[in-house]
Amino acid sequence: MSNTEDQHGRWRLTSRYIEVDGRPIVPVSGEIHFSRLPRNRWEDRLRLMKAGGITVVACYVFWIHHEQTEGQARFDGNLDVAAFVRLCADLDLDVVLRIGPWAHGEVRNGGFPDWVQAAAVEHRTNDAAYLALVERWFNRLGAELQGLTGPGSNVVGIQLDNELYDQPRHLTALKKLARAAGLDAPIWTATAWGGADVPEEEVLPVFGGYGDGFWVDADAPWDPTFRQHYFFSHQWDDPGIGADLREKFSGSNAAPPRSPSAFYPPATCELTGGMATAYQRRPWPRGEDVAAVANNKIGSGSGWQGYYMFTGGTNPAGGLQESQATGYPNDLPVFDYDFHAPIGAAGRLAPSFGLLRRQHAFLAAFGDRLAPMPSTLPDQVPAGVEDSETLRWALRSDGRSGFVFITWHQPHIPLPDYGGAQFSLSLPADTVTFPHQPIAIPAGTIAAWPVNLDIAGVRLGWATASALTLLGPEAAPTLVLTAEAGIEAQLCLAEGTVLEGPATAVGGNTHVIDTAGSASVTARSVEGSLKILVLPADLADEAWALDTPRGRELVLSAGPLWVGADGLLAGRSVGSPSVRRYSTASCQFEEVRPVSAEPGAARQTIDAALIRAAAPVPASFGSLAGRAAAPADGDMEERAEVYRIDATAAFPPREGKGHAELEIAWAGDVARLLVDGIVVADRFWDGSPWVIETHDAGIRPGAEILLQILPLPKDAKVGVPLAAQRRRDDADGDLAALDKVELIDWTTWQEAPA
């Protein structure tokens, strides 16, 4: 794979890391589903993903989305997979196609069209009749992608099936069919969690890691299979992912966890980017929850960071979601697939986006050093998932230099501040002990601290600030670090190195950096000099490291930002944008001059009148396998309270341009939005804001917009996050409320040419 078969012009797979253009890297892939997004939003989302550090786009190709009627496969509109791959290539993004044919993805029948599901074949086996169906589909897909895969293409990976546990020969057969259909990639993958038996001579095993999931019972405590991801570990298997479907359809539990493969570097395709919302259980991972899992995987030796989902979307109409009606244990929303992703279904950035963006900037700048570095766990590791006293950290090192990764955060069961942290690293050349005095690690710390980092003739012995990126030419670079909240930023330099700038020497070649604001210092040694910029913790989440025609740039922006087709900065903001670019010459942040339309009323409250009170709601609408069923359409029509939203003057006539959002703060069980009598969006309540892009939902001036909210009974067997449960407990009877409806009209801007 990639070496003697399916060779590629850029990508090469080794047993320790992945090479691109002869250089070790840690790829960062993010899942986005082109068929769950309007085609006119593809470029917006892809540019945002790239600006967030995604280098590889991963996407399911859902058979059921393309060929609902046998023999009538569609690839028009937002189903045009070839156009999507071409667009990714135009944006310099590589692609992993997850072609199934069974995909899951919370899709009806796991992605099988109904006519395939009903076929008299042994599905997902080497039954000749089943393979004939798959061969026809792969040939159709291969024809669409003709010329877009192969040695010079941006399609660098193909995943076969999904969550297949005991059919290695079937995976091999699928690979042969795909290759015969003209599909080609240097790396073929298969999901390996749950002890899956995969043919390692044919596919790269890929893993996942979710900190919570909708697939456990509504009242289940925080499961160890989720909790394990908040620890550093060299065990990559996760027996929890897909356990509900494995038990439902095969009647068996997971096999013992797989051992790491000696053939390949550890790789992931489904690190938590968020979590889907099922009716009976509705997790809402917060930004730190997502970033903590990702940091743990990097520190544990990840050779490929892959997120599911990175960009949320909306299911096509027609009941194509996973549901109990199609034999699955969970009911999912008909439309909503926001997934609480870093980029939400409406294009809104979640807090996880900024936190992950910092990690990805680090991987882009230091991945060539990091990728060959194995991971080492400390002598004293936590005793188990209940251990909240032992500091969680790991080292990746080549024996001389490296990075210490610290993750002191977990959801549900908060950690206390950790007192007295000091690290002792026994490297072959010497033992590095730092900091000189033990320090407290505040709860919520997620860090990557450099050790013996050599840049431009200067050695940074260690720092208690995270490495973010490198700016400028190799001959005169600027190292950018980010301070941690509640931790003094200290730098220790090699003997004889002089540090100039806002720093205080405290002995032992150690300096404390003043991070009241951004601090620029210069380290000078006999061999060279290095500029070091230390960002304060409160600015770190606004930092974007962007590769532009002018080189890598550091930009501060609270709003979404990307690089336009002309190489200049672009973005959107609520009101007038405030964007600053760092100048390595002046060592200052300088204002970026935007060109944009005059900002309108950025945020305004919209009137919503109650036009019908709710009818009594039963505690249950039925169940399957002990899991509560979602209400049917008739239940919503008969029992939900109904509001009319006044859109006469509020909504701008966008015509697909710009970006405007309807944000609904509400409480209850299920909500639906109707435009001119047609349901266009739905949501299961979990306490999070519901954000809808107005144009994509068909909202326009003069349209009749109705909001239905079904009350949530106190006795309903539905699991919601703690804050939402508290509101539920405080309600006098069934819970139903509309708190506020707001219109957010974003200003789209571009950087003025020089």
Side-chain angles (χ1 to χ4, degrees):
M1 211 173 17
S2 83
N3 298 319
T4 60
E5 184 178 89
D6 297 324
Q7 293 181 348
H8 194 266
R10 294 180 296 116
W11 278 63
R12 179 174 176 267
L13 180 62
T14 80
S15 62
R16 294 177 56 207
Y17 50 80
I18 291 163
E19 287 184 355
V20 174
D21 294 326
R23 172 175 163 262
I25 69 162
V26 180
V28 181
S29 59
E31 189 89 10
I32 176 176
H33 297 154
F34 57 87
S35 58
R36 279 173 159 152
L37 283 169
R39 184 164 175 166
N40 65 327
R41 301 297 179 192
W42 286 356
E43 185 170 347
D44 173 89
R45 303 301 195 269
L46 290 172
R47 288 194 182 277
L48 274 175
M49 290 175 72
K50 185 174 181 179
I54 297 298
T55 60
V56 181
V57 170
C59 58
Y60 279 130
V61 183
F62 292 116
W63 193 354
I64 191 173
H65 287 184
H66 292 272
E67 194 177 4
Q68 293 187 43
T69 301
E70 184 174 4
Q72 298 181 24
R74 291 181 50 196
F75 293 92
D76 57 320
N78 70 332
L79 299 176
D80 193 340
V81 60
F84 183 77
V85 170
R86 290 190 189 98
L87 177 58
C88 290
D90 291 343
L91 300 181
D92 197 26
L93 288 165
D94 288 321
V95 175
V96 171
L97 295 173
R98 306 177 78 186
I99 63 173
W102 191 89
H104 195 194
E106 290 72 63
V107 170
R108 180 184 179 96
N109 306 328
F112 285 153
D114 288 348
W115 58 270
V116 173
Q117 182 74 7
V121 299
E122 294 184 37
H123 296 85
R124 305 178 72 189
T125 72
N126 283 348
D127 172 38
Y130 172 69
L131 290 180
L133 296 177
V134 174
E135 182 178 27
R136 191 170 65 191
W137 164 239
F138 279 5
N139 285 341
R140 187 69 180 87
L141 190 57
E144 283 296 314
L145 293 168
Q146 186 176 8
L148 298 179
T149 70
S153 84
N154 65 321
V155 177
V156 299
I158 295 176
Q159 179 182 304
L160 302 165
D161 207 88
N162 191 58
E163 298 176 348
L164 191 66
Y165 299 100
D166 56 359
Q167 296 282 337
R169 293 178 61 190
H170 180 54
L171 291 172
T172 301
L174 291 177
K175 181 177 178 180
K176 290 179 179 178
L177 290 178
R179 294 183 80 245
L183 299 171
D184 184 19
I187 299 177
W188 296 80
T189 73
T191 55
W193 51 74
D197 183 6
V198 301
E200 289 195 347
E201 69 280 5
E202 298 285 351
V203 296
L204 166 70
V206 289
F207 298 92
Y210 293 100
D212 207 339
F214 66 80
W215 51 81
V216 298
D217 292 338
D219 57 354
W222 193 26
D223 193 272
T225 61
F226 301 138
R227 297 182 68 170
Q228 70 182 20
H229 297 296
Y230 290 93
F231 295 80
F232 294 94
S233 169
H234 295 157
Q235 173 56 255
W236 290 87
D237 201 347
D238 182 340
I241 305 177
D244 57 337
L245 296 187
R246 182 167 57 244
E247 295 165 12
K248 171 72 176 175
F249 294 121
S250 70
S252 63
N253 293 316
R258 290 175 50 90
S259 298
S261 172
F263 293 159
Y264 305 114
T268 58
C269 66
E270 290 198 18
L271 294 180
T272 180
M275 180 47 57
T277 305
Y279 180 76
Q280 59 93 30
R281 184 176 170 92
R282 311 172 186 184
W284 178 16
R286 305 307 174 95
E288 291 82 1
D289 304 341
V290 171
V293 171
N295 195 60
N296 282 349
K297 300 308 178 184
I298 299 173
S300 297
S302 174
W304 186 323
Q305 290 285 96
Y307 300 94
Y308 190 99
M309 297 285 294
F310 199 85
T311 298
T314 301
N315 294 323
L320 298 183
Q321 82 285 5
E322 176 182 327
S323 70
Q324 293 184 359
T326 54
Y328 283 67
N330 307 295
D331 271 332
L332 276 291
V334 174
F335 293 102
D336 179 48
Y337 202 69
D338 177 85
F339 213 85
H340 297 303
I343 303 174
R348 174 83 66 89
L349 301 187
S352 57
F353 185 92
L355 295 172
L356 292 177
R357 186 176 69 231
R358 289 160 57 179
Q359 296 180 15
H360 302 161
F362 163 73
L363 292 176
F366 300 100
D368 57 341
R369 304 179 189 225
L370 185 74
M373 291 179 175
S375 168
T376 302
L377 302 181
D379 293 336
Q380 183 179 0
V381 297
V385 296
E386 302 286 345
D387 188 338
S388 60
E389 297 181 357
T390 306
L391 187 64
R392 304 168 189 178
W393 66 283
L395 170 70
R396 287 188 70 169
S397 172
D398 58 8
R400 181 175 178 278
S401 63
F403 300 89
V404 167
F405 295 87
I406 306 165
T407 303
W408 194 238
H409 170 83
Q410 67 182 20
H412 303 303
I413 303 173
L415 297 172
D417 291 347
Y418 183 89
Q422 189 177 44
F423 305 90
S424 182
L425 312 178
S426 298
L427 303 177
D430 62 350
T431 296
V432 178
T433 300
F434 78 101
H436 293 313
Q437 298 296 326
I439 61 172
I441 304 291
T445 298
I446 302 170
W449 291 352
V451 176
N452 284 342
L453 188 62
D454 290 320
I455 303 175
V458 172
R459 176 183 294 184
L460 176 61
W462 52 262
T464 57
S466 289
L468 178 69
T469 192
L470 286 168
L471 305 175
E474 187 174 342
T478 296
L479 169 65
V480 183
L481 305 174
T482 59
E484 319 296 348
I487 299 178
E488 192 174 64
Q490 300 180 22
L491 308 182
C492 180
L493 299 164
E495 183 74 30
T497 304
V498 177
L499 191 67
E500 303 168 355
T504 302
V506 293
N509 302 316
T510 301
H511 305 260
V512 174
I513 306 300
D514 179 3
T515 55
S518 299
S520 178
V521 298
T522 301
R524 302 187 189 278
S525 72
V526 175
E527 289 80 16
S529 67
L530 173 67
K531 293 180 180 179
I532 303 174
L533 171 67
V534 184
L535 293 179
D538 60 354
L539 277 185
D541 289 344
E542 295 185 17
W544 302 67
L546 301 171
D547 290 327
T548 77
R550 298 172 297 279
R552 181 171 294 147
E553 299 184 334
L554 179 67
V555 181
L556 298 180
S557 173
L561 189 68
W562 57 86
V563 179
D566 56 5
L568 299 175
L569 301 182
R572 52 178 175 261
S573 62
V574 178
S576 299
S578 175
V579 183
R580 293 181 290 160
R581 176 193 284 116
Y582 187 73
S583 168
T584 56
S586 68
C587 298
Q588 299 288 331
F589 281 99
E590 301 173 352
E591 294 292 332
V592 172
R593 186 164 59 92
V595 175
S596 65
E598 288 295 321
R603 183 182 288 267
Q604 55 182 313
T605 300
I606 305 298
D607 291 334
L610 180 66
I611 61 174
R612 192 187 77 186
V617 177
S620 173
F621 295 96
S623 66
L624 179 67
R627 298 189 177 183
D633 289 346
D635 296 312
M636 295 294 297
E637 294 293 340
E638 296 170 10
R639 301 177 186 275
E641 61 184 24
V642 181
Y643 295 84
R644 176 175 286 114
I645 297 175
D646 183 6
T648 303
F651 293 99
R654 286 294 189 180
E655 299 179 355
K657 300 178 181 179
H659 191 86
E661 298 169 350
L662 193 68
E663 183 174 311
I664 303 172
W666 66 289
D669 187 10
V670 179
R672 303 196 307 183
L673 192 73
L674 290 78
V675 177
D676 292 335
I678 299 174
V679 179
V680 297
D682 61 347
R683 187 84 163 187
F684 296 163
W685 181 69
D686 58 12
S688 64
W690 186 15
V691 182
I692 301 164
E693 211 292 324
T694 59
H695 178 271
D696 296 347
I699 297 173
R700 64 192 186 284
E704 181 189 51
I705 304 171
L706 300 179
L707 174 66
Q708 299 174 337
I709 297 178
L710 189 74
L712 178 60
K714 279 190 174 293
D715 295 335
K717 293 183 179 180
V718 168
V720 296
L722 180 59
Q725 184 60 43
R726 287 172 176 161
R727 182 169 184 180
R728 184 180 178 186
D729 292 340
D730 291 341
D732 183 13
D734 297 348
L735 175 62
L738 179 59
D739 301 328
K740 184 182 288 188
V741 179
E742 291 184 292
L743 175 71
I744 297 92
D745 191 7
W746 292 77
T747 297
T748 301
W749 60 269
Q750 294 178 315
E751 180 182 5

